[in-house]
Amino acid sequence: MLSSRAVGIALGVVADRVFGDPTKHHPVAWFGTWATRVERHTYSDDTLAGARHVAATVAPVAVAAIAVERLTRKHPVAHTLATALTTWAVVGARSLAREGELMADKLDSGDLDGARERLGNLCGRDPAGLDEPELARAAVESMAENTADAAVASIFWGALLGIPGLVVHRCLNTLDAMVGHLNDRYRRFGTAAARLDDAADWVPARLTGAAACALAPTVGGDRARAWRTMRRDGAKHPSPNGGWCESAWAGALGVQLGGTNVYFSRTETRDLLGDGPRPRSAELRRAARLVTLVTAAVTGVAAAALLASGKARR
């Protein structure tokens, strides 16, 4: 089963790279629709209601994933295909990198209005009035953090727990994106989803940062500088995980991230991460390439570890 899991995860990541996210009937979108419907019945302005909401939305999907894992685990081809399809559905590395490249295209052509319109595909900041360095910074930060959320964490949990790990992680991450906001409606209701997502991403975020540091030379950076930057600045972030990814990208690219972020309902001033100038379109392209390289490297390590474990058990 470990061998078919390894091959399935690798094939799923390759499918994501070749085809990108499913354009219609995306399972993550299905889950989002399901969670919205459940929220109509579970919502209350307290943390316990939020915990019940997480349980009510995730449990049925987790049971289905466990059933698929058990039904296919004695059939290597079926298990490989089921794992590959699930991995393809939950990993979003190509779409993430592609958004960075499209943003860079807009900036290179001087189309700031077009770049501002695209920013919403990466993060929830208010793009009005942002210039090229601030648009590029927002995009680099989002790509760095989401490499952990949308790729590495799913691969990590898939390698450990198979199809249920892939599915449950993506459910928690989606719920965090839906209700884990510090606004009047979700400040308490979204607490459980946000904390569970933070817990699920704690190890993957640090793996993502370490991989980005190791791969810094492939995007024109310095491995030692990237590592020093991540160790120095990784904890200077309101998220327990995001800073490790963002500071690694900053060190690998030789740029400075962080600063004032304006959202539609609030403004945050964050510590600066890294040294050097603010990123521009060229660094944005390098950041997008690093998304792809980190995803590929983590997939290779996970698959190799699973294959080695499978051989050791024989």
Side-chain angles (χ1 to χ4, degrees):
M1 186 176 71
L2 292 180
S3 296
S4 57
R5 182 183 296 175
V7 175
I9 289 173
L11 288 175
V13 173
V14 169
D16 173 69
R17 180 60 188 164
V18 173
F19 302 110
D21 286 333
T23 55
K24 294 182 179 180
H25 309 298
H26 199 305
V28 176
W30 291 346
F31 177 78
T33 301
W34 158 249
T36 299
R37 291 176 179 173
V38 173
E39 185 181 335
R40 296 171 190 164
H41 304 282
T42 57
Y43 179 79
S44 180
D45 189 20
D46 65 73
T47 55
L48 183 58
R52 288 195 296 264
H53 177 68
V54 173
T57 52
V58 175
V61 184
V63 169
I66 291 169
V68 172
E69 180 82 6
R70 289 185 174 180
L71 287 171
T72 61
R73 64 184 178 182
K74 293 184 179 180
H75 308 280
V77 174
H79 187 250
T80 297
L81 292 176
T83 303
L85 285 171
T86 306
T87 303
W88 176 44
V90 303
V91 170
R94 177 181 170 174
S95 295
L96 186 61
R98 181 62 175 158
E99 281 299 328
E101 293 165 356
L102 291 172
M103 175 75 78
D105 290 343
K106 294 291 184 182
L107 294 177
D108 281 339
S109 66
D111 184 6
L112 288 181
D113 287 337
R116 291 172 186 138
E117 288 179 6
R118 294 217 69 89
L119 187 61
N121 295 330
L122 285 168
C123 64
R125 297 181 198 175
D126 184 354
L130 295 184
D131 58 10
E132 178 183 347
E134 286 301 297
L135 286 165
R137 175 175 75 86
V140 170
E141 290 172 356
S142 180
M143 283 193 290
E145 185 168 5
N146 281 296
T147 300
D149 290 342
V152 173
S154 292
I155 295 164
F156 174 82
W157 288 110
L160 282 181
L161 301 175
I163 293 170
L166 290 163
V167 168
V168 171
H169 170 262
R170 177 52 59 212
C171 288
L172 292 175
N173 187 246
T174 303
L175 283 176
D176 179 50
M178 295 177 70
V179 304
H181 305 293
L182 296 176
N183 56 30
D184 291 340
R185 178 175 174 84
Y186 292 124
R187 189 177 302 275
R188 285 173 286 274
F189 183 76
T191 298
R195 289 183 178 174
L196 285 169
D197 183 60
D198 284 343
D201 285 347
W202 197 91
V203 172
R206 286 148 181 81
L207 292 175
T208 301
C213 292
L215 292 165
T218 66
V219 292
D222 179 82
R223 187 178 290 118
R225 180 184 62 189
W227 182 255
R228 286 194 304 270
T229 301
M230 185 182 71
R231 292 191 64 188
R232 184 191 69 193
D233 297 341
K236 298 178 181 178
H237 197 281
S239 163
N241 300 321
W244 298 92
C245 307
E246 292 181 21
S247 60
W249 256 251
L253 300 174
V255 299
Q256 187 176 75
L257 304 176
T260 300
N261 298 339
V262 178
Y263 299 90
F264 292 96
S265 60
R266 70 187 193 282
T267 298
E268 289 184 3
T269 299
R270 300 179 177 180
D271 287 331
L272 298 176
L273 309 176
D275 305 292
R278 290 303 206 186
R280 291 184 178 269
S281 62
E283 289 75 32
L284 192 48
R285 294 188 191 281
R286 292 164 59 206
R289 189 159 68 251
L290 194 56
V291 172
T292 302
L293 292 170
V294 167
T295 302
V298 170
T299 302
V301 170
L306 286 169
L307 289 171
S309 297
K311 289 181 180 179
R313 291 186 181 186
R314 291 175 186 171

